[in-house]
Amino acid sequence: MKKIRIGVIAAAGKGTRAYPRTTFIPKPLFVIEGKTILHRNVELLAKTFGVEKVYILVGHLKEHILAEIEVIRLALPKIVIEPAPWTEKGLASDIASLEKSISEPFLTILGDEYYFKTDHDKFLKTLKTYPKMSASIGVVKTSLLSRIRKNYSVELQGDKILNLVEKPEDPPNQILGLGSYLFTPEYFEFFKKTPASPKSGVIEITQVIDKMAKESVGGVYATTLTCEYFNINSMQDYYHAVYEVRNDLFPKFKTSLVIPTYNNERSITDVIVDFKDKFHEVLVIDNESTDETVELCKNEKVKVFTFPGEGDPTRLGEQVRKGIEQASGDLIFVVSPDGSFRSKDFPKLLEYMKDSDMVIGTRTTRQMIEQGSNLGPLYRILNLLMGKLVEVFWWGQEPRFTDADCHFFSIWKESYYQVKSQLHTHDHKYIVELMIEMVRSHRRCIEIPVSYFKPVNVHKYSYASMLRDAWGVFKLILSKKFFVGDSQNG
């Protein structure tokens, strides 16, 4: 047999350990580098084995899974994808429910497991070497015994599996069992012979495989894979997977710096010189300056775009959004033009972007605020309160904000376009709106402390202005929570 024609992906579970996100999004639909885990696993089956048909077991939030299946069908039109209802009696029963549909070897993958740079084609080699086998399971070798304790271990004699132990307290070796299984139709017969677990009350898949290993004529064999394996049990598991994949791909991503300006001739050269060597491109979005700002930018050989705002500072949000949309980078950074931030904090934002959709600075660490800056106690307190209000209103998304008006942040361009239609604020409050929309759309927005320096042309805020701005932010937060925007389960 040169290929395996049938695939099964289990995408029905509730994923309670990744709560609260899994109350809105099933784990197989978590996105890693632009594609859901479900999409990537269907691709794995198609590209590695040439599968012709994939059964996807659906249950929890099945309407979301069914919608994603339509997306995958468009991307992979040669594969027949058929959803199959779960039994609500565990994975082993879900697979067994396909008995009438499958009469040949089939490859099963758990929908919440992601394999990066994998060699799953070794299953074909195992099948060729042991043509009479009853099943093969994927394994990897790991020195992290904690990973084995969360999954299952196998005891081997050569390649032959002698014993499976679910979540062993004391793993017998460094072999971790994966959620990739090559089953023959014998699986269905052994499922019927396997008693339910006294602990869970359902038939566990490891018990079925263990019974096959000990009683089948053909035996069960291990297929040792070499790959980065991620079992997405919790949100931290997901963030870890995103980080590792992005970290591997990071050198290929392009960075862009956006600087919105208006009459910043006294500071713009210093800002550009400080930042530009760290970015693939620098874009200055000028709000029709009447001083030497544009000429100074051109002297530094950076891209300059004119924003037709007639110098109106209440259109800052539009100005920044134009810059983000003009940028060609994958990672977009925005910094104010007044010299209040330094490029020394750029590496921190860059590192956190590896497992976040947006990273925003916070100016609440007193040791990192230069004496003489315009960050008075009342201003800091009001921004802190507004940040905490966002936390309270979207508590289920677990945001943590202490500053609602920091003009030094970074965002993945792809993530920006996912929320673009919800961005309507014209002035400086665009920042808190962007933070809210990232949270509402279940994306990861985090803040990190950054240094804040005395800006050029320090603007002294009156108490009345601070309170007026805070009231505007408060009304924006209320509107986002209760009145405005498409429903995003947030």
Side-chain angles (χ1 to χ4, degrees), residues 233-279:
N233 279 315
S234 65
M235 289 308 300
Q236 288 306 314
D237 292 331
Y238 170 61
Y239 295 141
H240 176 228
V242 172
Y243 176 86
E244 292 295 341
V245 174
R246 279 186 178 167
N247 189 52
D248 183 82
L249 300 173
F250 222 57
K252 76 167 188 151
F253 295 127
K254 184 178 180 180
T255 57
S256 298
L257 177 68
V258 173
I259 310 174
T261 65
Y262 174 68
N263 288 351
N264 296 112
E265 64 180 5
R266 292 185 58 198
S267 59
I268 192 63
T269 298
D270 288 349
V271 173
I272 293 172
V273 170
D274 181 27
F275 280 92
K276 72 176 183 179
D277 289 342
K278 294 178 170 60
F279 289 86

Side-chain angles (χ1 to χ4, degrees), residues 15 20 87 90 95 105 113 118 233 242 297-298 301 323 346 363 457:
T87 62
I95 296 173
E113 293 193 356
T118 185
N233 279 315
V242 172
C297 293
K298 290 179 178 178
K301 296 180 172 55
F346 163 71
R363 304 159 297 168
N457 295 328

Side-chain angles (χ1 to χ4, degrees), residues 193-444:
K193 301 175 184 177
T194 304
S197 166
K199 185 176 181 180
S200 65
V202 301
I203 300 172
E204 300 288 352
I205 192 165
T206 50
Q207 293 175 309
V208 179
I209 299 171
D210 188 60
K211 194 172 188 66
M212 294 173 75
K214 293 173 179 175
E215 299 179 13
S216 68
V217 175
V220 177
Y221 291 84
T223 296
T224 302
L225 303 178
T226 303
C227 63
E228 289 291 330
Y229 160 73
F230 303 99
N231 183 5
I232 312 299
N233 279 315
S234 65
M235 289 308 300
Q236 288 306 314
D237 292 331
Y238 170 61
Y239 295 141
H240 176 228
V242 172
Y243 176 86
E244 292 295 341
V245 174
R246 279 186 178 167
N247 189 52
D248 183 82
L249 300 173
F250 222 57
K252 76 167 188 151
F253 295 127
K254 184 178 180 180
T255 57
S256 298
L257 177 68
V258 173
I259 310 174
T261 65
Y262 174 68
N263 288 351
N264 296 112
E265 64 180 5
R266 292 185 58 198
S267 59
I268 192 63
T269 298
D270 288 349
V271 173
I272 293 172
V273 170
D274 181 27
F275 280 92
K276 72 176 183 179
D277 289 342
K278 294 178 170 60
F279 289 86
H280 292 97
E281 70 172 0
V282 175
L283 298 85
V284 173
I285 312 300
D286 181 67
N287 191 354
E288 299 187 297
S289 293
T290 56
D291 63 3
E292 299 298 315
T293 297
V294 171
E295 287 73 17
L296 292 170
C297 293
K298 290 179 178 178
N299 289 342
E300 296 301 327
K301 296 180 172 55
V302 298
K303 297 178 181 179
V304 180
F305 295 88
T306 299
F307 173 74
E310 300 180 343
D312 184 355
T314 64
R315 298 185 65 182
L316 179 61
E318 297 177 70
Q319 189 178 355
V320 170
R321 288 196 289 272
K322 177 179 179 178
I324 293 174
E325 290 162 20
Q326 289 287 342
S328 63
D330 305 289
L331 291 148
I332 314 298
F333 292 73
V334 177
V335 69
S336 63
D338 58 7
S340 53
F341 300 101
R342 297 286 191 272
S343 66
K344 72 183 187 67
D345 287 314
F346 163 71
K348 292 192 296 186
L349 271 71
L350 189 65
E351 184 66 23
Y352 278 93
M353 286 299 289
K354 291 179 180 178
D355 62 353
S356 304
D357 294 284
M358 178 179 177
V359 178
I360 188 166
T362 174
R363 304 159 297 168
T364 50
T365 304
R366 293 182 62 185
Q367 298 93 324
M368 300 176 71
I369 300 174
E370 183 181 36
Q371 187 174 4
S373 72
N374 57 343
L375 287 183
L378 179 60
Y379 180 81
R380 293 203 304 271
I381 290 171
L382 289 173
N383 273 291
L384 173 64
L385 289 176
M386 293 303 103
K388 292 302 176 186
L389 188 61
V390 174
E391 283 189 25
V392 171
F393 279 2
W394 286 276
W395 189 260
Q397 305 304 315
E398 301 181 337
R400 296 292 182 268
F401 297 128
T402 58
D403 191 346
D405 193 35
C406 182
H407 293 254
F408 187 22
F409 67 87
S410 55
I411 188 169
W412 286 92
K413 193 169 187 180
E414 178 187 30
S415 299
Y416 167 79
Y417 276 107
Q418 293 295 319
V419 300
K420 177 186 173 183
S421 63
Q422 301 296 323
L423 304 175
H424 309 292
T425 301
H426 300 296
D427 60 13
H428 70 94
K429 295 191 293 295
Y430 81 92
I431 293 175
V432 71
E433 180 182 49
L434 187 54
M435 293 160 56
I436 290 170
E437 290 303 334
M438 296 301 287
V439 171
R440 289 180 72 217
S441 59
H442 316 299
R443 287 172 173 79
R444 195 181 198 197

Side-chain angles (χ1 to χ4, degrees), residues 447-490:
E447 65 175 16
I448 62 172
V450 294
S451 299
Y452 186 77
F453 296 85
K454 182 178 179 180
V456 175
N457 295 328
V458 175
H459 174 64
K460 295 292 185 181
Y461 291 107
S462 66
Y463 289 156
S465 295
M466 291 181 194
L467 293 173
R468 186 166 52 249
D469 285 347
W471 176 245
V473 172
F474 178 69
K475 290 194 296 182
L476 173 65
I477 294 171
L478 288 179
S479 71
K480 290 291 180 179
K481 181 61 180 178
F482 299 111
F483 308 110
V484 177
D486 299 335
S487 173
Q488 297 185 47
N489 300 312

